Amino acid sequence: MQIEVLRPHELSPAQLGAWELIQQADETLESPFFAHEFARAAGLARSDAQVGVLKTDAGIVGFFPF
C-alpha cells in the first residue's frame, strides 16, 4: 500500500471522484463529515489539514483526512 499525503485543495478531480464513489458504496459513510467537501472546508479553515490518499496496485482504496 502507498499513501500520498496532500492538502485538501490539492486533490485532483479524479481523486475527488474516487472519494465520492467510495463514500456512495458504503452506507456507513453517509455522514457529510466523511465527504471530501468537508475536508476541503477544513482545509480552508486550518493550514495543517491534510488528506492521506491510500493506494494499492488496483488504484485508490481510501482516504484519511486529518
Side-chain angles (χ1 to χ4, degrees):
M1 180 172 293
Q2 297 175 329
I3 301 172
E4 179 181 13
V5 178
L6 301 169
R7 298 282 325 274
H9 71 274
E10 296 174 329
L11 293 166
S12 71
Q15 290 168 324
L16 296 173
W19 191 327
E20 289 179 3
L21 288 175
I22 290 169
Q23 187 177 21
Q24 291 170 359
D26 186 344
E27 66 183 34
T28 64
L29 301 176
E30 287 181 359
S31 170
F33 296 113
F34 294 132
H36 66 79
E37 293 91 350
F38 185 80
R40 290 174 65 99
L44 292 173
R46 295 192 54 112
S47 63
D48 60 348
Q50 297 181 329
V51 177
V53 182
L54 294 81
K55 302 177 187 177
T56 66
D57 291 339
I60 296 173
V61 295
F63 294 87
F64 183 75
F66 60 97

